[in-house]
Every structure is written in C-alpha cells, then in structure tokens.
C-alpha cells in the first residue's frame, strides 16, 4: 500500500487549464485529493515536486469507451486491463470506462462481477463500467435497477448491429430505454442497421468480395445514419437521454444534430480513430494493413469526415471523445483472411487519443485548450455524473492531472507505443501536444517517458443515477409536457386523449 506521502505531489508554476477558465497556479495534491489551487502555496516538506513552468496543467483525460480483454468474435482483445490502462496513462488519460457485455441469456449482474474480477487486480488508473443489454426480459429490467442502486452503474448500452450476437430489436430497445428513464440511467447505443448489414454482407461474399473493403461496403454511412435517427426517436419516445457511441460518419452526426434541434436529449461521441484516420485504408493492397482498420461502425472513405467531426466537437454539437480501444494482433485479424465478416472488429487509441485530438483540434486552430479539456475530460465527467470529482482541477477533486507540453511533438508508432497490439492505426502521425507527467490520485504514473505504475492501483468509480446534466431537462419536460411532444405539435390540441361521445353507429362483421 502506498503511504500518504506517496499519494501526494506538488505541481508548481504551470498554467492550470479547466474547461471554463485558465490561470497560472500551483496545484497541491494530498492523499490523492486536490487540496489547494493558487499562487504562493507552501507545500509540505518532503513532498514530490513536479515543475510545470511554461507547461499546461490539465485534468487527466477520461476515455469514455474501451474494450480491454474483451472476448469477441472467437478471440480476446490483447490489451488487458493492465496493459490498456498503462497505455492510457502514457497518453495523459487517468480514467477509462469499459463495458461489461453479457452473452444472450446471461445475468447482467454476473457479467458486471466478471468484469470487476478481471479489472480490479490489473488497472493502473481509475475506471468504471457501462453494462450492455443484449437481450430483454423482466429479469433484465430488475437487474438493471439493482446495478444502479447497489453497484454504481448509471449507463446501459444497446446494440442495433451484430445480428444474432448482441443485436436487439426496436421493441426491446424501447423497453430498455423506458427502464433506463425510470431508474435514472443513461441509454447508450451502437447505431447501425444490423439487418441490412447481415443481408448485404452475404451478397458481397456471394459476389466474391471477401477482403476488408467488404466491411465498409456492407455498412455504408447511411446504414449508420438511419440507425442513429431511429435510436434517437426510440429514446425520445421513452423520455430517456441517449448517448450515441463512436459517431463515425457525417450521416450519423447529422441525425444527432437534427435530434438536438428538435429538443431530443442526445449526446454524440466521436472517437480518436474517426478523428485521425479515414476509411480509404480498407482498399489498401496489403491485407494486413487494411484489416487493421476494421471496426464497427467502419471508418469512412470520405476523407473530409474527420475534420467534419472535429468541427462538431468545436461547436459543442458532439460532446465527448472515446477510443473504442479493442485491439487484435495479426494472427487474430487473420481469422477473416477469406471472409471479412470474420475479421475481429477493433483498433487502438487509448494511448494516442489526447495527442491526436490536440493535433487535429488545438494545433489545427479548431479547439481552444479549454475546449480540449472539455471534450477529453470534463464533458464526460458531467455526462456520466462524476463531476467535479473527475474532470476538474479544483479543491476536493481527485488528484488526476496531466502536465502537457503544447508545442513538443511525438511521432506515433507501434514500435514505441505501450499497447500489446502489433499495429498502430496512427503509424507515422506527428502530433503536437505531449503528456510529460501523468498523475492519478496523487501518484505520478508517467514521467520522462517512463511508466511508474502498479497493477491494482486504480479504483472502480461508482456513478450515481439521475444525472442532472442528462436528465434535468427531461424531468422538467415530463412535468409540463407529460406526452413528450418535441416535434412542434401544439400541446393543448395534440397532447392527450379527446373526450367525445362514443360511436353508436353500425359496425361491419369480420
């Protein structure tokens, strides 16, 4: 166990950057908690000192979407919870949110405990879990409530794709989202039309298209856009906030924009891969290269898509950023060498997310440093109801801090990254913005290009239900507009049933 002094550090002389304001200030972390922020702080004797003069001092990143050691498509992703979180802290991220995904018919609580058993002994930074809903019954609804009330889960993910494995139908989604609304949990969705993907993938294989390009051809962006619109509609009718994971296309982003414009409470999450790469890689003549980019939804061949998504982060129409980090080595990807449907879906990103977003956002002149903090940390903390414990440098917040050099550069490579995977989708990208020091709960875990981690140091972070950021407007709307009309109809004329005389005329016989 670490002593109090080992979980304490004094960061001096930097520019503290929060989502709302920046200031030159020192930061004192004691026993894992920020106890002072300001000028002229006198640190305790013997405390570890980090000199941040001329550098930025920001809240550690929160990766909203990882899949470490995930059993999937007949194999297991190679970044386990130790390697995955080591990669994360090396990149300036101090908390990840992974997914407990049960098999059809399996108890959600059993899956949650299984993931806790995998993660707790290994994580080197704090973490939490979303829980997937891959089937529906009254039992599932009851277990969702137990997970919220007793285990600190406040988000549940549904899949509209992976037919026969994870996909549920619209009616089941509606029931799930109604339950989410009742228990104060955020609904999440993987939005692709799984039935169309299933049919079109069979047609492509029958035509002899079996390579990685088939993955994108059977699930073009309109398939993602249609499902995104449908999911938003279902959630809105259930009076439930919705979080759309891995927004990968202009069509999906446009559906989110339209939903927000008509009053739906919907949050969109682009990921590092979609902000830093595009889908032209699927047509690469090297099968291994092309297969490395296979993920669902796929990256888009439209080379303007990454910039479009970054612009929506800058405007606030997309809110959080994750990675969908789910890594598979060449022999695992090789399961689909003769049929793209068998290529395990997943890419890296946990280590490179912060630098890619700084390069494509701040260095490119699209985001301010404050906006960068918002989209990499603070917004996630607000959406998932752990703010200001996470996502802020403030007295009382957890001591999760990254000291950032905004002008230094690094070149991303599989040869130097801290993942277990043998490929990096950002290979050769030069990024301005480098994490010099990463601190998690008062412990320096990354410094001078070296890890200083201990497996199990990270803690599971429970997340309370009924997040005001997600549910505030919906709860008020339910009071004044119980029928949930958000499509412009007049509430007085169309808001409820009509009192009328019963029909007493003739009725045909069937």
């Amino acid at each position: 166990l670490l002593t109090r002094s080992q979980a304490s550090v004094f960061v001096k002389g930097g520019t503290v950057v929060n989502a709302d304001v920046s200031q030159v200030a020192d930061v004192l972390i004691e026993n894992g908690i920020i106890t002072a922020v300001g000028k002229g702080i006198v640190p305790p004797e013997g405390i570890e000192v980090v000199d941040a003069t001329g550098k930025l001092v920001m809240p550690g990143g929160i990766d909203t979407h990882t899949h470490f050691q995930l059993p999937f498509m007949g194999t297991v992703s190679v970044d386990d919870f130790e390697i995955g979180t080591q990669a994360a802290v090396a990149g300036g991220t101090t908390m990840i949110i992974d997914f407990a995904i049960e098999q059809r018919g399996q108890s959600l609580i059993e899956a949650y405990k299984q993931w806790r058993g995998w993660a707790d002994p290994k994580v080197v930074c704090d973490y939490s879990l979303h829980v997937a809903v891959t089937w529906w019954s009254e039992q599932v609804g009851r277990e969702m409530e137990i997970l919220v009330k007793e285990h600190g889960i406040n988000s549940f993910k549904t899949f509209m794709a992976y037919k026969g494995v994870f996909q549920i139908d619209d009616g089941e989604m509606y029931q799930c989202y109604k339950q989410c609304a009742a228990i104060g949990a955020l609904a999440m969705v993987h939005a692709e039309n799984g039935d169309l993907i299933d049919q079109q993938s069979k047609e492509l294989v029958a035509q002899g298209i079996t390579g990685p390009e088939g993955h994108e051809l059977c699930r073009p962006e309109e398939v993602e856009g249609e499902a995104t619109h449908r999911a938003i509609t279902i959630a809105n009718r259930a009076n439930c906030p919705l979080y759309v994971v891995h927004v990968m296309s202009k069509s999906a982003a446009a559906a989110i924009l339209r939903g927000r414009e008509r009053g739906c409470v919907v949050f969109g999450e682009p990921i590092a891969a979609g902000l830093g790469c595009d889908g032209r890689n699927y047509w690469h003549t090297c099968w291994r290269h092309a297969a490395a980019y296979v993920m669902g939804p796929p990256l888009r061949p439209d080379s303007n898509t990454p910039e479009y998504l970054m612009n929506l982060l800058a405007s606030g129409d997309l809110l959080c950023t994750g990675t969908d980090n789910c890594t598979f080595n060449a022999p695992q990807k090789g399961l689909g060498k003769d049929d793209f449907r068998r290529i395990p879906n997943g890419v890296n990103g946990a280590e490179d997310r912060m630098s890619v977003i700084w390069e494509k956002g701040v260095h490119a002149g699209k985001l301010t440093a404050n906006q960068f903090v918002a989209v990499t940390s603070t917004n996630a903390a607000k959406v998932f109801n752990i703010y200001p414990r996470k996502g802020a440098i403030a007295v009382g917040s957890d001591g999760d801090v990254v000291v950032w050099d905004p002008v230094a550069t690094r070149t991303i490579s599989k040869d130097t990254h801290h993942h277990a995977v043998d490929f990096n989708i950002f290979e050769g990208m030069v990024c301005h913005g480098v994490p010099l020091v990463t601190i998690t709960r008062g412990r320096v875990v990354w410094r001078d290009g070296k890890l200083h981690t201990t497996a199990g140091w990270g803690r599971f972070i429970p997340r309370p239900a009924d997040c005001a950021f997600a549910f505030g407007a919906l709860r008020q709307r339910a009071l004044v507009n119980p029928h949930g009309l958000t499509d412009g109809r007049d509430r007085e004329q169309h808001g409820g049933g009509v009192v009328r005389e019963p029909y007493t005329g003739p009725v045909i016989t069937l």
Side-chain angles (χ1 to χ4, degrees):
L1 294 176
L2 294 178
T3 65
R4 176 186 175 92
S5 63
Q6 289 174 311
S8 301
V9 63
F10 179 59
V11 183
K12 69 173 186 178
T15 298
V16 173
V17 182
N18 279 308
D20 57 345
V21 68
S22 302
Q23 61 175 322
V24 176
D26 303 327
V27 180
L28 178 60
I29 304 170
E30 296 181 283
N31 201 27
I33 302 297
I34 297 173
T35 56
V37 179
K39 295 181 179 180
I41 299 171
V42 179
E45 290 187 11
I47 195 171
E48 183 174 7
V49 176
V50 172
D51 187 351
T53 303
K55 304 299 185 289
L56 305 181
V57 180
M58 302 186 291
I62 300 173
D63 188 338
T64 52
H65 190 152
T66 65
H67 294 289
F68 296 144
Q69 64 188 80
L70 173 69
F72 186 48
M73 298 183 73
T75 185
V76 179
S77 60
V78 294
D79 286 337
D80 68 9
F81 277 97
E82 181 175 10
I83 294 169
T85 52
Q86 284 179 327
V89 299
T93 288
T94 55
M95 181 176 173
I96 61 99
I97 312 181
D98 209 89
F99 291 81
I101 305 178
E102 82 286 353
Q103 300 300 312
R104 281 181 175 271
Q106 183 187 11
S107 160
L108 274 64
I109 295 172
E110 178 183 311
Y112 159 82
K113 291 180 178 178
Q114 184 177 40
W115 257 260
R116 287 292 305 270
W118 290 340
D120 286 354
K122 293 183 178 181
V123 287
V124 307
C125 66
D126 289 352
Y127 83 105
S128 195
L129 291 170
H130 313 291
V131 174
V133 175
T134 63
W135 62 295
W136 183 256
S137 72
E138 291 184 2
Q139 173 194 334
V140 171
R142 290 192 297 268
E143 290 195 345
M144 289 171 64
E145 185 171 10
I146 292 169
L147 286 166
V148 166
K149 291 182 176 179
E150 300 180 15
H151 298 287
I153 300 297
N154 72 2
S155 50
F156 294 92
K157 179 183 179 181
T158 57
F159 291 84
M160 302 172 80
Y162 301 116
K163 186 176 178 65
V165 182
F166 298 146
Q167 181 179 335
I168 61 176
D169 65 32
D170 291 1
E172 292 168 326
M173 283 177 61
Y174 178 72
Q175 292 300 321
C176 177
Y177 293 178
K178 287 283 286 186
Q179 178 67 345
C180 282
I183 61 180
L186 179 63
M188 308 176 75
V189 67
H190 173 135
E192 292 183 283
N193 188 317
D195 292 314
L196 277 177
I197 292 168
D198 180 63
Q199 292 298 315
Q200 295 206 302
S201 62
K202 292 175 182 176
E203 292 171 1
L204 287 167
V205 170
Q207 295 166 20
I209 299 174
T210 60
E213 68 278 10
H215 180 75
E216 204 283 332
L217 291 171
C218 76
R219 49 214 307 159
E221 68 171 84
E222 67 176 339
V223 169
E224 183 189 1
E226 181 277 330
T228 303
H229 171 78
R230 183 157 38 101
I232 293 169
T233 301
I234 294 169
N236 189 53
R237 299 316 303 163
N239 207 37
C240 181
L242 181 67
Y243 185 96
V244 183
V245 301
H246 47 44
V247 177
M248 300 299 287
S249 67
K250 294 178 180 178
S251 297
I256 292 170
L257 287 174
R258 290 193 299 269
R260 291 169 70 89
E261 286 171 354
R262 67 177 189 268
C264 301
V265 179
V266 55
F267 310 113
E269 169 206 85
I271 62 172
L275 294 166
C277 301
D278 65 60
R280 290 175 294 176
N281 288 285
Y282 297 127
W283 280 264
H284 197 282
T285 55
C286 171
W287 188 93
R288 172 65 182 102
H289 179 101
Y293 292 84
V294 168
M295 62 174 301
L299 295 157
R300 300 305 173 188
D302 180 350
S303 61
N304 295 318
T305 298
E307 183 177 12
Y308 179 86
L309 296 175
M310 183 62 74
N311 288 340
L312 293 182
L313 276 175
S315 68
D317 291 300
L318 297 177
L319 211 62
C320 303
T321 56
T323 60
D324 199 8
N325 193 106
C326 189
T327 51
F328 299 98
N329 281 325
Q332 296 170 294
K333 291 280 187 175
L335 290 169
K337 64 184 180 63
D338 299 316
D339 185 343
F340 66 82
R341 295 172 297 181
R342 297 192 61 205
I343 301 173
N345 288 199
V347 298
N348 62 285
E351 182 169 353
D352 301 320
R353 177 182 68 112
M354 301 275 279
S355 288
V356 168
I357 294 172
W358 187 273
E359 173 68 22
K360 302 295 185 179
V362 182
H363 184 70
K366 295 181 179 296
L367 299 175
T368 66
N370 304 97
Q371 287 175 303
F372 173 82
V373 169
V375 301
T376 60
S377 183
T378 306
N379 290 348
K382 290 179 177 179
V383 169
F384 294 106
N385 211 17
I386 48 175
Y387 181 84
R389 179 180 182 179
K390 304 289 187 182
I393 294 181
V395 173
S397 297
D398 283 354
D400 295 346
V401 173
V402 58
V403 178
W404 192 264
D405 188 329
V407 297
T409 62
R410 70 182 185 94
T411 301
I412 297 174
S413 174
K414 66 177 177 59
D415 298 325
T416 54
H417 70 199
H418 295 82
H419 295 278
V421 70
D422 58 6
F423 193 95
N424 193 305
I425 62 170
F426 307 110
E427 187 73 32
M429 183 184 294
V430 177
C431 288
H432 295 79
V434 174
L436 301 180
V437 181
T438 305
I439 301 166
T440 174
R441 291 196 347 268
R443 182 182 183 185
V444 174
V445 291
W446 172 259
R447 190 172 193 173
D448 300 325
K450 295 181 180 179
L451 289 165
H452 305 279
T453 59
T454 300
W457 166 250
R459 298 178 303 185
F460 176 80
I461 303 299
R463 294 173 289 124
D466 278 312
C467 173
F469 189 86
F471 276 96
L474 285 173
R475 297 297 191 218
Q476 178 63 22
R477 186 179 303 164
L479 295 175
V480 301
N481 183 9
H483 300 283
L485 299 176
T486 59
D487 56 4
R489 288 180 289 170
D490 184 272
R491 187 171 67 248
E492 299 301 322
Q493 293 183 17
H494 303 286
V498 176
V499 178
R500 57 169 63 91
E501 294 293 325
Y503 175 72
T504 58
V507 178
I508 67 169
T509 301
L510 299 177

